[in-house]
């Protein structure tokens, strides 16, 4: 995932960006925005969209409960009661291991096949690497930056599995539990694990990036961690998972499209197969969220409103290459993703609109007063976000581009808005 696992963007993983610039360094992110502020403090699209989106989703404090209260026992009991449903409706979305793709399937083989000599194997491997590097040579720096950012976020998978296992009612309490929720979490993790592996190996063989700086960034992100959803709520987690997986799907699809346009068919195929995984994972979290809208509409719509208020952190928010003292690496990465068209403010608006429609939020009935306020708030978000997006683009058209430096590509600069 570029991940929101059950609880993340760009790859990314990417997806919608929630941030509070003033707290970015401490890892605290409590305000909704499509992106964090990029390299400098200039008036960029990403900066303006953050402020605009925050204004669009802001609601009176009394209207939605955003306290850090313990998870209601009823939520944990409800999701636990769905173990049988999970077995029938989510576990089939996981591919059998024997028929699943593996990173090796998309990269040059370094081992000698039966009957081949070491010289023949080495020659074939070098030919494969040469072909891969020839395709990668045409990929522009801005796409490489997005690819690295997504890969770094995917490689922080241990943080995301830990988050899932902190969620009440769905955690794998023993580490090898036979309960369907636990099987889903482990199966999801196993499939996601291939994404970072494949992207990492492609980047290494491509020769286009400074792998030591990329690996240093992964190291920093795993040490820095990510802030989990404060309530440890299963309702929040499955909603977040649906958003994150769909956003990551969009990001990988767009990266595949750009790679193909620039002649790298191998990378296009790699991003496409990862996107297909994200689509299946999105289906799982979307289905279980829809089920909760059936059995506990009041509780889940309030959770959805809470999530949309920004009580969630991007999984890559705390990424660092050790050289970003003056500006946030995640900020610059997000700004490049916006300008390259890998993940944009429009994509975020599409996500919100999709889920409000998919879960039929406007049709919910029998809600409490707080539930009705949450429903009204959520249903009012799509048009507000669209308006803010239009204003942000109008302002961006009048602003000048500026360079953002990335150690991942040997200190070269990429232009951002």
């Amino acid at each position: 995932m570029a991940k929101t696992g059950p609880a993340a963007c760009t790859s990314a993983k990417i997806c919608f960006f929630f941030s509070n610039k003033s707290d970015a360094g401490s890892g605290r992110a409590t305000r909704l925005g499509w992106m964090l502020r990029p390299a400098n403090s200039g008036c960029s699209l990403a900066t303006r969209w953050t402020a605009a989106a925050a204004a669009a989703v802001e609601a009176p404090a009394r209207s939605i409960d955003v306290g850090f209260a313990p998870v209601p026992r009823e939520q944990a009991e409800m999701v636990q009661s769905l173990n049988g449903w999970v077995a029938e409706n989510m576990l089939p979305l996981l591919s059998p291991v024997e028929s699943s793709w593996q990173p090796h399937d998309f990269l040059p083989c370094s081992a000698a096949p039966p009957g081949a000599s070491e010289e023949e194997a080495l020659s074939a491997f070098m030919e494969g690497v040469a072909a891969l590097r020839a395709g990668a040579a045409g990929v522009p720096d801005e796409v490489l930056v997005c690819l690295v950012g997504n890969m770094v976020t995917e490689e922080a998978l241990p943080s995301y599995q830990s988050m899932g296992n902190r969620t009440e009612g769905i955690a794998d309490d023993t580490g090898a539990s036979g309960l369907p929720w636990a099987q889903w979490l482990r199966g999801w993790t196993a499939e996601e694990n291939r994404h970072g592996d494949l992207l990492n190996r492609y980047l290494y063989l491509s020769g286009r990036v400074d792998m030591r700086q990329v690996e240093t960034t992964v190291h920093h992100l795993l040490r820095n961690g990510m802030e989990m959803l404060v309530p440890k709520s299963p309702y929040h987690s499955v909603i977040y998972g649906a958003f994150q997986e769909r956003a990551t799907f969009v990001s990988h699809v767009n990266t595949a499209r750009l790679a193909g346009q620039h002649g790298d068919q191998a990378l296009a195929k790699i991003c496409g197969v990862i996107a297909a995984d994200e689509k299946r994972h999105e289906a799982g979290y979307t289905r279980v969220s829809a089920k909760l809208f059936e059995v506990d509409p009041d509780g889940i719509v309030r959770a959805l409103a809470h999530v949309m208020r920004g009580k969630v952190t991007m999984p890559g928010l705390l990424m660092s290459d050790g050289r970003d003292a003056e500006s946030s690496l995640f900020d610059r990465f997000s700004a490049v993703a916006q300008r390259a068209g890998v993940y944009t403010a429009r994509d975020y608006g599409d996500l919100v609109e999709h889920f409000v429609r998919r879960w039929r939020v406007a049709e919910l009935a029998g809600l409490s007063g707080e539930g009705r306020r949450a429903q009204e708030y959520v249903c009012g978000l799509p048009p507000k976000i669209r308006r803010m997006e239009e204003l942000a683009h109008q302002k961006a058209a009048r602003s000048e581009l500026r360079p953002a430096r990335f150690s991942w590509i040997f200190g070269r600069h990429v232009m951002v808005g």
Side-chain angles (χ1 to χ4, degrees):
M1 169 182 271
K3 259 152 216 334
T4 322
C9 201
T10 318
S11 260
K13 262 151 186 239
I14 219 177
C15 65
F16 44 102
F17 300 95
F18 299 86
S19 67
N20 181 329
K21 174 62 180 176
S22 63
D23 291 332
S26 66
R28 299 198 171 278
T30 57
R31 185 70 64 191
L32 171 65
W34 114 257
M35 281 185 180
L36 294 178
R37 185 184 304 270
N40 299 317
S41 57
C43 197
S44 70
L45 171 61
T47 302
R48 283 191 296 274
W49 176 252
T50 300
V57 302
E58 189 63 45
R62 65 173 181 79
S63 65
I64 297 173
D65 176 16
V66 294
F68 296 162
V71 176
R73 184 180 61 184
E74 294 77 10
Q75 284 192 18
E77 292 175 347
M78 179 62 73
V79 295
Q80 288 171 340
S81 74
L82 294 179
N83 264 299
W85 184 94
V86 169
E88 294 180 3
N89 295 276
M90 292 178 68
L91 293 187
L93 293 170
L94 299 173
S95 297
V97 176
E98 293 73 16
S99 60
S100 294
W101 64 266
Q102 299 299 336
H104 177 272
D105 301 334
F106 301 92
L107 299 168
C109 180
S110 59
S117 67
E118 179 63 22
E119 291 75 15
E120 291 172 331
L122 181 58
S123 176
F125 176 65
M126 295 305 295
E127 288 179 8
V129 172
L132 184 149
R133 291 166 79 99
V139 178
D141 281 350
E142 58 265 28
V143 178
L144 285 177
V145 166
C146 294
L147 187 65
V148 171
N150 287 352
M151 186 279 287
V152 167
T153 310
E154 296 276 5
E155 290 280 54
L157 181 61
S159 295
Y160 317 141
Q161 185 180 31
S162 296
M163 176 196 59
N165 282 324
R166 292 181 60 184
T167 302
E168 297 186 18
I170 69 175
D172 182 358
D173 292 332
T174 69
S177 170
L179 290 175
W181 270 119
Q183 292 183 51
W184 169 263
L185 285 174
R186 294 198 303 272
W188 171 84
T189 300
E191 293 190 350
E192 291 284 344
N193 184 63
R194 300 169 304 163
H195 302 174
D197 284 352
L198 178 53
L199 294 175
N200 191 317
R201 295 175 198 174
Y202 165 86
L203 287 167
Y204 175 80
L205 292 174
S206 76
R208 293 293 311 281
V209 301
D210 185 336
M211 283 306 298
R212 194 175 201 288
Q213 281 304 117
V214 173
E215 292 162 352
T216 296
T217 305
V218 173
H219 197 155
H220 274 297
L221 181 55
L222 282 167
R223 286 191 58 158
N224 293 342
M226 64 172 287
E227 280 196 340
M228 309 298 184
L229 293 177
V230 176
K232 303 181 186 177
S233 163
Y235 286 16
H236 290 70
S237 292
V238 296
I239 289 170
Y240 185 77
F243 271 87
Q244 178 59 55
E245 296 292 351
R246 187 172 182 84
T248 308
F249 164 75
V250 170
S251 174
H252 285 303
V253 165
N254 287 333
T255 305
R257 172 179 53 80
L258 292 170
Q261 289 176 357
H262 292 284
D264 193 341
Q265 299 306 319
L267 179 57
K269 189 173 183 180
I270 286 170
C271 292
V273 74
I274 293 174
D277 276 1
E278 306 294 3
K279 191 66 175 175
R280 286 188 294 106
H281 299 163
E282 176 206 335
Y285 291 114
T286 301
R287 287 180 187 180
V288 73
S289 296
K291 182 64 176 178
L292 290 170
F293 271 101
E294 292 179 13
V295 297
D296 186 11
D298 196 79
I300 194 70
V301 74
R302 290 165 57 188
L304 175 59
H306 194 163
V307 170
M308 300 310 297
R309 286 292 305 274
K311 299 300 179 186
V312 75
T313 334
M314 294 321 301
L317 179 63
L318 301 183
M319 67 170 57
S320 169
D321 60 358
R323 302 180 181 181
D324 48 357
E326 296 182 359
S327 63
S328 164
L329 177 57
F330 185 80
D331 291 359
R332 287 175 277 140
F333 161 50
S334 301
V336 173
Q338 162 72 27
R339 184 162 187 266
V342 167
Y343 190 81
T344 68
R346 179 176 294 277
D347 292 325
Y348 172 72
D350 289 344
L351 254 68
V352 176
E353 197 167 66
H354 167 79
F355 285 115
V356 170
R357 182 176 60 252
R358 171 65 177 81
W359 292 325
R360 300 181 178 180
V361 178
E363 301 174 23
L364 298 178
L367 302 176
S368 65
E370 187 174 354
R372 288 193 299 273
R373 289 191 293 271
Q375 178 189 40
E376 180 180 357
Y377 164 70
V378 170
C379 290
L381 281 179
K384 291 180 180 179
I385 291 174
R386 295 299 187 194
R387 287 197 296 271
M388 295 303 102
E389 176 196 342
E390 291 173 5
L391 291 174
H393 276 288
Q394 290 172 8
K395 293 179 180 178
R398 300 191 296 268
S399 65
E400 295 183 0
L401 297 179
R402 65 181 184 283
R405 184 175 180 274
F406 288 90
S407 66
W408 300 336
I409 51 174
F410 303 98
R412 295 193 299 272
H413 291 83
V414 174
M415 301 305 293
V416 298

